[in-house]
């Protein structure tokens, strides 16, 4: 694989990499910085995020949106979406889709809530059960895509309906309604839930900052913001690890190779089947992580959780620079795409703009991102 890494540009599949050059060329030196900046997958999403911040800084700057509590609110929304956007982005780089992400969120929530509430399982065991079950379903998705050679769009669309139907049926069977409550109370006394998924981190620091008058405190002296929600910590950790794997490891190189040209990658020894199945498992892991954090944050599981989140995750990945054809993308870009979602979804409530325009914004952003990414790809391939 050394030939793949030679003269490699971040975000490009091996088949799209420009050929190695020898010697110096003054013409190349004049445009290299521009091509490198313009050709980065995350360029559009970072630019879009800056524009969104400027817009809301002007229209909602004095409304508290950029106070500490406001920042935590929209960061938390962005973090939830960012977790599944990372999974969707990496899978799209490998040339596949998973439309069952949203349904997996609802189903994983039920796999935690029903055993712990109705079967008396310890919450930690229900969490492990949910992750094992979700990842097994992700493996099944990937296996069926590889074995049948059907488009992943079709296979995962089928699982979208299967899992959503199972979630609804199980919730009605056990709770006689679509919501299973009481998980939050049980989680408050569970070691695994409190350690990794429930509550905030840095509470001591925030209490000290409140007592020192650095951040806003309530009348009883407690900080208005208790700490950093764990969903934000998970988002940051997942983004760092995924970015490192894509940019600095052989596996990351293989993922780009598989998305760029699976047959060529197979011919040079890349384990195409194992890579694709593993990424479906990773996407399911991200969906279950989303569900686990949400269940303990809200204190319940619901059959309609995760509705349409698969499309939002894909949109965030596309805004972040991922191509629908595979072989190109960036986890950092997907995270900025999720950040745009969070800022707009919460920021619009701080303005006089009707919240119904949020979906219009998503559609416009998707169209602009696709057009821009197509333009960048054409410029990069022309420069080869």
């Amino acid at each position: 694989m050394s030939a793949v890494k030679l003269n490699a540009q971040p975000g490009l599949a091996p088949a799209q990499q420009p050929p190695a050059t020898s010697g110096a060329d003054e013409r190349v030196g004049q445009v290299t910085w521009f091509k490198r900046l313009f050709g980065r997958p995350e360029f559009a999403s970072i630019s879009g995020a800056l524009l969104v911040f400027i817009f809301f800084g002007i229209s909602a700057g004095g409304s508290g949106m950029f106070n500490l509590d406001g920042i935590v609110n929209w960061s938390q929304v962005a973090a939830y979406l960012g977790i599944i956007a990372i999974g969707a982005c990496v899978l799209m780089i490998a040339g596949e889709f998973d439309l069952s992400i949203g349904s997996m969120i609802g189903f994983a929530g039920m796999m935690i809530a029903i055993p712990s509430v109705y079967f008396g399982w310890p919450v930690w065991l229900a969490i492990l059960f949910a992750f094992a079950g979700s990842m097994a379903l992700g493996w099944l998705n990937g296996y069926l895509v590889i074995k049948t050679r059907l488009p992943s769009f079709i296979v995962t669309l089928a699982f979208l309906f299967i899992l959503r139907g199972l979630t609804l049926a199980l919730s009605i069977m056990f709770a006689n309604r679509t919501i299973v409550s009481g998980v939050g109370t049980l989680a408050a006394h569970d070691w695994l839930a409190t350690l990794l998924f429930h509550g905030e981190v840095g509470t001591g620091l925030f209490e000290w900052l409140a007592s020192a008058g650095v951040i806003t405190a309530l009348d009883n002296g407690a900080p208005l913001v208790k700490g950093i929600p764990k969903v934000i910590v998970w988002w940051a950790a997942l983004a760092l690890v995924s970015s490192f794997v894509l940019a600095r490891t052989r596996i990351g190189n293989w993922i780009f190779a598989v998305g760029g040209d699976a047959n060529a990658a197979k011919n040079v020894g890349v384990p195409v089947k194992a890579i694709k199945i593993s990424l479906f498992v990773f996407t399911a892991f991200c969906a279950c992580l989303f569900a686990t954090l949400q269940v303990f944050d809200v204190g319940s599981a619901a059959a309609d959780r995760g509705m349409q989140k698969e499309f939002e995750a894909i949109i965030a990945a596309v805004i972040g620079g991922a191509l629908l054809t595979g072989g190109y993308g960036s986890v950092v870009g997907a995270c900025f795409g999720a950040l745009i979602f969070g800022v707009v979804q919460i920021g619009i409530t701080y303005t006089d703009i009707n919240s119904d325009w949020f979906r219009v914004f998503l559609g416009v952003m998707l169209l602009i991102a696709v057009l821009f990414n197509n333009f960048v790809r054409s410029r990069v391939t022309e420069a080869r």
Side-chain angles (χ1 to χ4, degrees):
M1 293 300 294
S2 59
V4 172
K5 295 184 178 179
L6 184 62
N7 199 35
Q9 292 183 6
L12 284 176
Q16 296 172 309
Q17 298 288 352
T21 56
S22 60
D25 190 332
E26 293 181 357
R27 294 173 298 175
V28 174
Q30 293 173 358
V31 296
T32 295
W33 68 270
F34 177 77
K35 286 183 178 179
R36 287 181 177 178
L37 177 63
F38 202 71
R40 294 289 303 184
E42 61 270 16
F43 176 77
S45 60
I46 294 176
S47 302
L50 289 175
L51 291 175
V52 166
F53 275 115
I54 292 172
F55 172 79
F56 284 105
I58 296 172
S59 62
S63 60
M65 178 181 173
F66 294 100
N67 294 342
L68 182 59
D69 55 329
I71 292 173
V72 170
N73 284 339
W74 50 256
S75 295
Q76 197 167 357
V77 173
Y80 274 111
L81 179 59
I83 287 172
I84 55 175
I86 290 171
C89 177
V90 177
L91 186 61
M92 287 176 65
I93 291 174
E96 303 292 349
F97 291 92
D98 189 348
L99 296 182
S100 67
I101 295 175
S103 297
M104 186 75 76
I105 291 171
F107 187 68
M110 286 297 168
M111 283 196 287
I112 295 173
I114 291 175
S116 58
V117 174
Y118 293 98
F119 298 163
W121 288 19
V123 175
W124 64 267
L125 183 58
I127 293 171
L128 296 180
F129 171 70
F131 274 100
S134 298
M135 293 168 72
L137 288 169
W139 178 90
L140 182 59
N141 265 334
Y143 177 79
L144 289 175
V145 169
I146 297 298
K147 192 69 175 179
T148 64
R149 297 186 180 180
L150 289 171
S152 55
F153 176 89
I154 299 298
V155 174
T156 58
L157 181 63
F159 272 90
L160 180 153
F161 291 106
I162 293 171
L163 294 178
R164 186 63 67 187
L166 282 173
T167 304
L168 181 61
L170 290 172
S171 63
I172 296 296
M173 181 186 301
F174 288 96
N176 202 28
R177 54 180 182 160
T178 59
I179 298 177
V180 177
S181 305
V183 190
T185 304
L186 297 173
H189 306 286
D190 185 83
W191 67 271
L192 184 60
T194 55
L195 178 66
L196 295 178
F197 305 108
H198 182 61
E200 298 84 13
V201 298
T203 52
L205 174 62
F206 278 69
E207 289 174 357
W208 178 82
L209 292 174
S211 64
V214 177
I215 61 176
T216 304
L218 301 173
D219 294 337
N220 60 2
L224 178 61
V225 177
K226 296 180 181 179
I228 302 174
K230 287 182 180 175
V231 62
I232 298 177
V233 178
W234 271 106
W235 180 35
L238 204 61
L240 288 173
V241 172
S242 300
S243 296
F244 176 81
V245 169
L246 280 179
R248 302 293 181 185
T249 68
R250 178 180 294 181
I251 294 176
N253 214 28
W254 286 349
I255 292 171
F256 282 109
V258 169
D261 191 331
N263 289 328
K266 183 179 179 180
N267 290 336
V268 296
V270 175
V272 174
K273 294 181 180 179
I275 288 294
K276 289 195 175 187
I277 293 176
S278 299
L279 292 181
F280 276 103
V281 173
F282 176 65
T283 305
F285 168 84
C286 293
C288 187
L289 178 60
F290 181 113
T292 306
L293 291 162
Q294 187 181 60
V295 164
F296 296 139
D297 182 36
V298 179
S300 64
D304 62 347
R305 296 273 170 81
M307 193 76 74
Q308 296 187 342
K309 287 299 179 183
E310 59 277 352
F311 300 111
E312 293 183 7
I314 291 173
I315 292 172
V318 171
I319 291 175
L323 291 179
L324 300 175
T325 52
Y328 188 83
S330 164
V331 167
V332 174
C335 289
F336 272 96
L339 183 62
I340 292 173
F341 271 58
V343 173
V344 173
Q345 187 171 342
I346 298 299
I348 204 169
T349 63
Y350 286 90
T351 66
D352 296 329
I353 303 173
N354 193 310
S355 59
D356 294 336
W357 287 96
F358 175 66
R359 296 293 173 183
V360 177
F361 168 81
L362 295 186
V364 172
M365 286 296 295
L366 175 62
L367 181 60
I368 292 174
V370 170
L371 293 174
F372 181 82
N373 292 343
N374 186 62
F375 173 72
V376 169
R377 181 178 60 170
S378 64
R379 292 296 298 270
V380 170
T381 53
E382 287 174 4
R384 291 168 52 188

